[in-house]
Amino acid sequence: MDKKKKSNLQNGLKGFKFKIYWLYAIIFVFFIGLQFIGTEVTKPTNWQEFNRTMLQDGKVDKVVIVNKDKAYIYIKKEFLSEEQFKKVGKKAFGDAPNLGPHFYFEIGSVETFSNDLKDAQISFDNEDKISPLYETQKDVFGDILGWILPLAFFVFIWLFIMKKMGGGAGGAGGQIFNIGKTQGKLVDKEDIKITFDDVAGLEGAKEEITEIVDFLKSPEKYTKLGGKIPRGAMLIGPPGTGKTLLAKAVAGEAKVPFFSLSGSDFVEMFVGVGASRVRDLFKQAKEKAPSIIFIDEIDAIGRARGKNAMTGSNDERENTLNQLLTEMDGFGTNSGVIVMGATNRADVLDKALTRAGRFDRQIFVDLPDLLERKAIFEVHLKPIKLAESMDVNFLSRQTPGFSGADIANVCNEAALIAARKSKNEVDKQDFIDAVDRIIGGLEKKSKIISPGEKKTIAYHEAGHATVSWMLEYASPLVKVTIVPRGKSLGAAWYLPEERQLTTTEQMLDEICAAMGGRAAEDVFFGKISTGALSDLEKVTKQAYAMVSIYGLSEKVGNISYYDSSGQQSGFTKPYSEERAQTIDKEVSRILEEQYQRAKDILIEHKDKVEKLGTELLENEVIFKDDLTKIFGDRKWKSYEEEQLIKMDQEKTESDKLAKAAKKIKAEEKKAKAAKEKETKASEESVNDKNS
């Protein structure tokens, strides 16, 4: 028992951490107590009470005027035992007698008080009369406290501000003298649990980055042949694609210390702090080599220099970048420190940063394709309690253009929706609702819409659905709704084909499908509305891209005015006014032709569109199957659809094989049990004969 108590005490002491601030607080409270509590007991009174109960009764020993503003009264010793003086007769601590002063009160002026005191003692004998004594006292402690307290307050405020600006409590940068220290978070190799198994999809990026892991694990394998270990790798890709996760997985696979920080951690209001933090970061990394430095959102400090000449360049940021360039080029090639950066703005990075010798590798982390989305879903669905009928292939085909972060959000949202409905498991409908909510926003069924507006919205969406169904290269429809979501009054969900290349015909079909909504309003109501704003914005951008970027216009020719380097100023155009007019005319021609094409398609299938619009008004939501009933099967199947059909067939075959294997296993188990039963019975019969 004693040992147990001792161990508990030791554990308690181990968890206890003394802080110097506590000592400062105790000292401060002590001095304040001395000032305000005191050791003597002196009670306030007034002139009337003093004259009536003390002076006239002859109980006053002396009166002392201190600093010409207070009168302190001393009572004779023989009267201190009386009832009225009991509270002032003894000291605050112990039973020692209080020698005074016993009472005090404020006086207006010394002359008035002296005259009043003289008048009050007119009837007294000369030997009984009291004359006031005068003293001048200085409150040294109070004076010191008077200027120490404000100073201490300002020092405290300053330290607090420095702590906040320097990187938070407890960190190396939290102290005023450590503001130039790195803000990077060090994760030791023992604490990194993420490996490549936790990173689904991104097969191309993983393959490329595996080499870096190999460099860190066995650098001598490369250096002995005269090779140099890469100094840096830049992860480039859209937000949410898993760049940070991939960097952590590299550290987890290589089992090396991992310094993680953001580009903004270098930026500070003080000149030279960013450069100082860069130096400190590389110093620490080299001490723990082999190690990885990971700078997320590196574009915060890595922007191209000299671009802000008009507004004034950020010298501090440029100094930080210069120091980073120097450090990456300055430390030894065999030091075992690899720098990894991540950004979704590679176009704005300084050319000196991305050159070979600094960031030797540029690894592109793109949005996942169909098969990669399936792998990502399988990772994020592990902790979720799914319904048996749940199909991962279905989920992967419903989320084109989704990043890894988006997929994680879909899985979480589906689980929340299922929990909200008090379900025991997450089913297919929950995932559909989750995708709808993420793309379109929350349903607003309470929004007041007039019957006329509702009819316009229904036919608008029916126009989109019809035109996209009738065009070869338009995205096939999944779902149409006229229930308001987010900012939109109606919405249509499509499954766009994930192309690597896009032809002129494909872009024209997409523009035509987007124009279908406004075209339907024109055909069926003879008037158009503002509901096509987002459609017009989309097609205008597409048309301008066709003409001025992709060179898909015969009239303008094979010319692209796109600047991939980002060096081009927005104030000047790289073409003449005549060419600008040509581009505008060509864009207008493309849009008007596709608008007329959409109208022609709708007029050709007018009865079917009306039927679709009526069904939308009745049910508010229609699906792909409803369109198939009205228009028949779609003539064209994309390569992706063929891949999806193939995936479904493979799943069906694998399910059949699994079922057959399960059946065989059950039969084998049954046969084994029967055999064991037969053997046991024969042994029992032999034993009976022997007995």
Side-chain angles (χ1 to χ4, degrees), residues 546-548 550-560 579 586:
M546 283 178 69
V547 177
S548 62
Y550 299 118
L552 298 178
S553 167
E554 290 182 6
K555 202 165 186 179
V556 175
N558 300 318
I559 295 175
S560 176
R579 178 52 59 93
E586 193 66 4

Side-chain angles (χ1 to χ4, degrees), residues 654-674:
S654 64
D655 289 346
K656 282 181 181 177
L657 289 170
K659 201 173 180 181
K662 196 175 178 182
K663 191 178 178 182
I664 292 166
K665 199 172 179 181
E667 287 175 356
E668 286 177 352
K669 195 175 178 182
K670 193 177 177 182
K672 191 178 177 183

Side-chain angles (χ1 to χ4, degrees), residues 314-329:
N314 190 339
D315 291 332
E316 175 59 15
R317 181 180 56 75
E318 290 191 2
N319 288 342
T320 306
L321 174 59
N322 290 338
Q323 187 62 48
L324 179 63
L325 297 175
T326 305
E327 289 290 339
M328 288 193 70
D329 224 9

Side-chain angles (χ1 to χ4, degrees), residues 427-447:
D427 57 25
K428 183 178 176 180
Q429 188 58 46
D430 298 323
F431 281 97
I432 293 171
D433 294 342
V435 172
D436 291 353
R437 183 166 183 177
I438 290 167
I439 294 174
L442 189 66
E443 284 189 354
K444 296 180 180 177
K445 292 184 178 180
S446 60
K447 199 163 189 169

Side-chain angles (χ1 to χ4, degrees), residues 14 33 63-66 107 125 165 173 188 192 218 251 267 369 373 406 482 509 537 570 592 669:
K14 200 178 282 183
V63 176
V64 180
I65 309 294
V66 178
I107 61 173
D125 295 333
M165 291 191 326
D188 286 323
I192 302 172
S218 52
V267 182
D369 59 19
R373 287 200 302 275
D406 294 331
I482 58 171
D509 280 5
E537 183 186 3
E592 291 307 315
K669 195 175 178 182

